[in-house]
Amino acid sequence: MPNRKLPPLNSLRAFEAAARHLSFTKASEELFVTQAAISHQIKHLEEYLDIKLFHRENRQLSLTNEGERYWPKINSLFEQLQTATEGLYTMGASGKLSISAPPTFAIEWLIPRVTDFKNLYPEIELSISAQADESEIDFFGEDVDAAIYFSIGPYKKGVYSRRLLNEYLIPVCSPELMSGEHPLNTPDDLRFHKILHEETHRDWLRWLDMVGIKDINLNNGATYSHTVMVMQAAIHCQGVAIVQSILGQRELDTGRLVRPFDIPLKTNRSYDFACPEGNQDNPKIWAFMDWIKQRLESDCEHDPLRDGRKNILTLD
């Protein structure tokens, strides 16, 4: 087709996202448009190319042979565009950058990956502080450039925010409990174990309600002030904990914790990046925001919690 124009960019973006996720719904969430808009753009592209790109059968989406050949090339082009654009934004990224983050998130996820950020941006002097609570940082009254929140939102006027990651709650325990006198084969087996908490019973109550289990004694285990303490208690066989999946990832990867049940509970909160409105275009802030977004997505790329292969319950 040497004399034809290129396909519409919006249609190509819709195709690339839908093919990557094999889901119009997830593509619509990523591109902040409706599912109907994604479907329309795909149809428009297929008509333009006069080629069918997707099979749509029994609510399942799969690529045709033509789609399988086309997608990697389109994906590569968009990655090159993204890399080139990021390079423009992050030119001159240097100086001190102060980030505030929830304590357990900083300990379990962020700090172990700081070296990766420093290798990419050696001219940025990164400083990380722990948030005292979940209230919003007063960016104009404190020496903080940006913050990471685990929040419901929305944020107050004058604050720019970008969603980094939707989060899930998962029960975890030591692998020793799985081979003990009362292995955790079903949620009902929790009645034989101590239940660990972070400050309140709220998360456990919601998870148990969703799986339809009653009469579990929630007062027989210890209560801790931070998730990292709860996880340490679980590692040392003190009981079963319920934690945010991203916070338990490192201990699950090492095998010090295991997931006894494949029943994650989607929360109504997310990890968000926030800074004063307008400052998101500052090269050092943009560099960190883009880096953390990509690292979180990369870490969760093959996580069954994120790709719909597990039974995910939703917390209202």
Side-chain angles (χ1 to χ4, degrees), residues 61-74:
L61 194 67
S62 62
L63 287 165
T64 63
N65 290 336
E66 292 80 4
E68 288 277 7
R69 290 196 297 268
Y70 195 42
W71 177 76
K73 297 176 182 178
I74 299 303

Side-chain angles (χ1 to χ4, degrees), residues 102-113:
T104 304
F105 179 82
I107 293 168
E108 290 294 324
W109 192 90
L110 181 56
I111 291 174
R113 292 163 177 80

Side-chain angles (χ1 to χ4, degrees), residues 39-56:
S39 181
H40 173 77
Q41 290 292 348
I42 297 298
K43 182 180 179 182
H44 183 47
L45 181 61
E46 289 179 325
E47 290 175 349
Y48 181 91
L49 298 173
D50 195 23
I51 292 173
K52 187 175 181 179
L53 299 170
F54 289 99
H55 293 299
R56 305 166 180 84

Side-chain angles (χ1 to χ4, degrees), residues 108 168-175 231 234-235 241 243-262 303-306:
E108 290 294 324
Y168 301 84
L169 295 173
I170 54 172
V172 295
C173 67
S174 166
M231 289 194 296
I235 287 169
V243 301
Q244 298 163 33
S245 63
I246 198 69
L247 301 185
Q249 178 178 312
R250 184 167 61 151
E251 304 300 352
L252 290 168
D253 289 344
T254 63
R256 297 211 298 170
L257 287 175
V258 296
R259 292 173 53 197
F261 320 113
D262 284 332
D303 185 348
L305 291 177
R306 315 286 167 175

